[in-house]
Amino acid sequence: MQQRTPIEEQIDLPFVESLRISFQSLKIRFGRSIITTAGITLGIAFLVSVWTNNEIGLALQESGRQSTINTFEETTEKGISTKDIWLIVMSLIVCVVGIANSMLMAVTERFREIGTMKCLGALDGFVVRLFLLESGFQGFSGALIGALIGTLGAVLLGLKDYGLDLFFYFPLFPVQPEDGTMRLGVIVVILLGCVLGMILAVIGSAFPAWRAAKLPPAEAMRTEV
Amino acid sequence: MADIVVKTEDVVKEYRMGSNILRALDGINIEIERGEYISLMGPSGSGKSTLFNMIGALDRPTEGQVYIDGQNMSQLSQRQIAAFRCHRVGYIFQSYNLLHVRSAHGNVTLPMIFAGIPDRQRNEKAEQLLDLVGLGDRMYHLPDELSGGQRQRVAIARALANDPSIILADEPTANLDTITGREIIDLIKRLNTDQGVTVISATHDLKMLDVSDRIVDIRDGLVERIRNRDEIDIEVGEVGSEGH
Ligand SMILES: Nc1ncnc2c1ncn2[C@@H]1O[C@H](COP(=O)(O)OP(=O)(O)O)[C@@H](O)[C@H]1O
Ligand SMILES: [Mg+2]
């Protein structure tokens, strides 16, 4: 058997190509993207509302105001009630599970697409990069919207509890009160929410995408929705 | 000496499902010459798609070797395998496997993007290929907006994008009606005769018989027999005279 031209090595694609392909994909499956993004938005909205609500409560407690309904709660030394800690932890869990789940579903229904791209010459790393880009963008935009909704919710709740005093003492920026604790302030909470949403979305999507990209294309393409 | 493009050596493929092991290929030895039109025939479940996957480097055999252009496929790196899929083979599937987020044109350009072909060049080539398969007026439609036959034409154009030396087709007509199936077969045959592309097609479509140079009958993961063109002609004649 004669030896033909040896088989070359596949090239890496320029970043802009990945960017173009992933944005086109987001655009065309807009409806589906919105649903996945909504999962992220909800998770982050919940987390940020609980967290911001807590910041507001602390700031107003310090100012000497009392919530009309929160007065009877037992508080820890630092002024955060165990119930609030519990709520924040719960909302974090809801957020992590919710986002991971919606990303996982979004990737699983695209196994066939992953297999097909590999048939056409895509490297595993390229497939993962596409999903990193798509999910990073979805994660950030979904989380930003969620953080704003969450803040709005917390502000409305605060208005109900403290009235217009809320705006007077509104904890927008980080402060360090004398007891040595740290108050993040609403802006930082929003930023953290966005970053967290993005990281969760990226991990939740890149991990299954990486697993699918490692499969032989024949197997990836066998998976039915 | 014949120019052998594809050679399989005792190829075995086992699928493990729980504690069961299913031997889908049980030692396949075939040699395919450059420019041939080969049909892999056999009943459903006989192992055609599995063999298709082995030849196309879409899966690894459990045992045995596959040589393409004299190159042992098991010795290739990941990058070489990707380049092989990109440049050497064009795949056509029963269910088309188009990316539904990309237009017909976008599907055809994708393998050229992976090959690093510049923007303008690949756009032109995609237009040419879509013209060739008769979809010049549907280039920017999404797959969902096309009929089955049209989708398969897009898949064929996409398979040709990087001028492969082998076209692998897995039951390309199975989802199509008789007339559309005939058109698709004729199109693939035309590529075979005009451009000298080697065609390897799994099928149980009898319409494929009379365009094939050789037919490999597969049964239970084994090559049952290999028939040549002249033997086929006689049988096609017989089938015709029986008048169904
Ligand atoms: N990924 C897989 N896992 C388990 N069994 C499989 C897999 N792929 C194919 N098989 C089995 O291998 C045999 C051959 O399948 P296949 O090659 O698809 O046949 P054909 O294409 O001729 O219909 C069948 O019994 C099928 O069920
Ligand atoms: Mg099959």
Side-chain angles (χ1 to χ4, degrees), chain B residues 145-172:
Chain B
E145 302 161 355
L146 299 172
S147 72
Q150 290 170 332
R151 289 182 207 184
Q152 198 58 296
R153 287 168 188 276
V154 177
I156 293 172
R158 183 178 71 180
L160 293 171
N162 289 326
D163 302 311
S165 51
I166 304 170
I167 293 273
L168 272 172
D170 191 2
E171 311 218 20

Side-chain angles (χ1 to χ4, degrees), chain A residues 89-108:
Chain A
V89 171
M90 275 307 292
S91 56
L92 247 176
I93 293 174
V94 169
C95 187
V96 170
V97 173
I99 292 178
N101 183 52
S102 62
M103 295 318 286
L104 185 69
M105 281 182 5
V107 177
T108 307

